[in-house]
Amino acid sequence: MDTSFRRIAMSALLLLFFTLLTGLLREVESLGINYGQVGNNLPSPEKVLQLLQALTITKARIYDTNPQILTAFANSEVELIVTVENQMLSTLGGDPQQAAQWVGTHIVPYIPATKIVGIAVGNEVFTDGDVSLIPNLVPAMVNIHAALVRAGLDRTVHVSSPHSVAVLASSFPPSAGTFRQDLSETMGEFLRFLAETKSPFWINAYPYFAYKDDPDQISLDYVLFNPNSGTVDPLTKLRYDNMLYAQVDAVIFAISRMGFSGMEVRVSETGWPSKGGPDESGATPENAAIYNRNLMSRQVAQEGTPFRANVKLEAYVFALFNEDMKPGPTSERNYGLFRPDGTMAYNVGMVSSTSPASAAPVFSSAPIKAKQMDYQSLVYWMFVYLLAWVTCFHH
């Protein structure tokens, strides 16, 4: 074969390969993931990091400040949101020194090697069931933020707290979004803190719950982001083709009604279970794959909600792994994209072409039909052809 032709062909193939690879990285970087640990058979934090790196996921949230995870994730590109457990709120809210000690022990030693970018103070405190937590929420946030200020970390580590959509008294149509009246006083203090510290409002939003509770009245396509006729808000005249965006906009309107318009709303949890009990309609691998694949494709497109169309909605998928020790219905243990051994619970289009030697089971999945071949598989085969051309060139 003519040498000049080989060089031209190899250069073209290299260009195509890196173009595809760059597109892939840009695609997956928009994904955030929740890394829960309520299981007795989960891989080590080191192997979890390998998995995230292979999938080029750069945002993760954990539900504690597990030192093994914080150490394992050091010197990686993964941005972490850590969590103050609910049972710690009274201690940290009642004593600024305890909050300072908590920050000094759980945050300061790991920065900057570990990219801790946010602290979730509690999780779903307003709807936890333990009402004694509620008056301690904002004081704990204030004390933790003050400790971050003293440590010089308040500009790089934000402080917030994720809430369930159950904090809303009304959510439909979105323009009617309002918070529950019994939460108004503490919610006002909470929003004032977020506004003063320029922190986002985090919401855990699961359209699956709405569908499960009323599958005969709620359109499955509407909750799965599939094509559908949607619904129009009679006040704003905005059309909604999925429930998640409607829920987020309902929160935005509720915040505005409290006098804090303009605050960013992010989705701290959303997902779909791949398995459920007899009374859990829609909990199937097929629906889980459709929901998360459609959500991820919209993140790739950097979509905003209809009310904030020009503001990209940041969302974290729940969850990375199935967690076998979680209490509650069957679905609670089956939200993972992956099983604990690293194999896919279902194909969401996130396959990796390589597998770390120390984690052989990771990334395996069922064969994908040619017409459904994902972007990463294409990159893999382009790499194979590239190696073939290099071999040919040297011979």
Side-chain angles (χ1 to χ4, degrees):
M1 184 183 292
D2 180 75
T3 301
S4 60
F5 176 77
R6 289 179 186 171
R7 288 174 176 167
I8 293 171
M10 189 166 66
S11 297
L13 191 59
L14 275 168
L15 178 61
L16 178 58
F17 171 71
F18 285 112
T19 299
L20 289 169
L21 183 59
T22 301
L24 174 66
L25 295 176
R26 183 168 60 248
E27 177 181 65
V28 187
E29 278 175 358
S30 65
L31 175 68
I33 198 87
N34 285 278
Y35 168 19
Q37 306 152 57
V38 189
N40 61 7
N41 54 359
L42 297 178
S44 68
E46 289 78 13
K47 289 185 178 180
V48 172
L49 178 61
Q50 290 178 356
L51 173 58
L52 296 181
Q53 289 174 329
L55 299 171
T56 62
I57 294 175
T58 59
K59 298 176 186 290
R61 174 184 171 221
I62 60 175
Y63 292 83
D64 53 19
T65 52
N66 185 329
Q68 291 180 306
I69 295 176
L70 297 184
T71 300
F73 280 46
N75 303 310
S76 73
E77 294 301 312
V78 179
E79 297 180 352
L80 273 180
I81 295 172
V82 301
T83 303
V84 176
E85 296 93 328
N86 285 6
Q87 62 267 25
M88 290 293 298
L89 294 186
S90 60
T91 300
L92 302 185
D95 187 349
Q97 289 304 315
Q98 290 282 349
Q101 183 177 345
W102 186 91
V103 169
T105 301
H106 298 277
I107 303 297
V108 173
Y110 300 98
I111 292 178
T114 303
K115 294 185 176 181
I116 300 174
V117 298
I119 299 175
V121 181
N123 186 54
E124 299 190 349
V125 172
F126 287 134
T127 54
D128 177 84
D130 183 356
V131 294
S132 67
L133 295 173
I134 295 176
N136 291 302
L137 175 60
V138 176
M141 296 173 68
V142 169
N143 289 342
I144 289 172
H145 181 261
L148 291 173
V149 171
R150 287 193 293 272
L153 298 175
D154 57 299
R155 294 190 176 183
T156 56
V157 182
H158 75 260
V159 177
S160 189
S161 183
H163 300 301
S164 161
V165 292
V167 297
L168 296 173
S170 176
S171 61
F172 188 82
S175 62
T178 54
F179 290 118
R180 285 167 30 192
Q181 188 63 34
D182 62 306
L183 302 176
S184 59
E185 182 178 352
T186 306
M187 183 63 78
E189 296 171 357
F190 176 77
L191 294 173
R192 191 171 301 110
F193 171 86
L194 296 186
E196 290 173 352
T197 59
K198 297 181 173 58
S199 299
F201 187 105
W202 286 102
I203 190 74
N204 295 341
Y206 290 89
Y208 163 72
F209 292 148
Y211 178 78
K212 176 183 71 73
D213 292 341
D214 197 359
D216 294 330
Q217 296 299 317
I218 294 178
S219 164
L220 182 60
D221 285 332
Y222 181 66
V223 293
L224 290 179
F225 295 92
N226 279 337
N228 64 95
S229 58
T231 181
V232 175
D233 188 305
L235 179 64
T236 64
K237 308 303 180 186
L238 295 171
R239 179 180 175 273
Y240 290 84
D241 67 355
N242 70 86
M243 183 176 285
L244 180 67
Y245 286 4
Q247 290 176 329
V248 171
D249 276 356
V251 172
I252 292 172
F253 275 97
I255 292 171
S256 297
R257 282 192 167 84
M258 297 286 289
F260 297 94
S261 59
M263 184 176 294
E264 182 182 3
V265 174
R266 300 177 184 174
V267 178
S268 39
E269 290 181 18
T270 191
W272 197 284
S274 60
K275 185 179 180 181
D279 60 340
E280 295 187 290
S281 297
T284 67
E286 294 77 16
N287 287 342
I290 292 169
Y291 182 85
N292 285 316
R293 188 181 300 129
N294 286 341
L295 171 66
M296 290 160 58
S297 68
R298 295 200 178 214
Q299 283 187 284
V300 169
Q302 301 189 30
E303 277 193 0
T305 64
F307 188 65
R308 288 185 176 169
N310 297 322
V311 179
K312 176 187 172 184
L313 177 64
E314 183 169 319
Y316 283 62
V317 172
F318 186 88
L320 185 57
F321 295 109
N322 286 337
E323 299 170 76
D324 67 334
M325 294 179 66
K326 293 196 74 173
T330 301
S331 61
E332 285 296 311
R333 293 175 288 281
N334 290 280
Y335 273 90
L337 300 180
F338 292 87
R339 303 182 187 93
D341 66 358
T343 58
M344 280 189 165
Y346 50 87
N347 177 29
V348 75
M350 293 172 58
V351 297
S352 173
S353 60
T354 59
S355 181
S358 59
V362 175
F363 320 133
S364 63
S365 64
I368 304 171
K369 293 179 182 179
K371 65 179 181 181
Q372 298 173 325
M373 185 167 63
D374 61 277
Y375 201 12
Q376 197 161 2
S377 298
L378 182 58
V379 173
Y380 169 70
W381 285 111
M382 294 305 300
F383 182 67
V384 171
Y385 284 123
L386 173 63
L387 290 179
W389 272 101
V390 170
T391 303
C392 178
F393 179 74
H394 283 290
H395 292 283

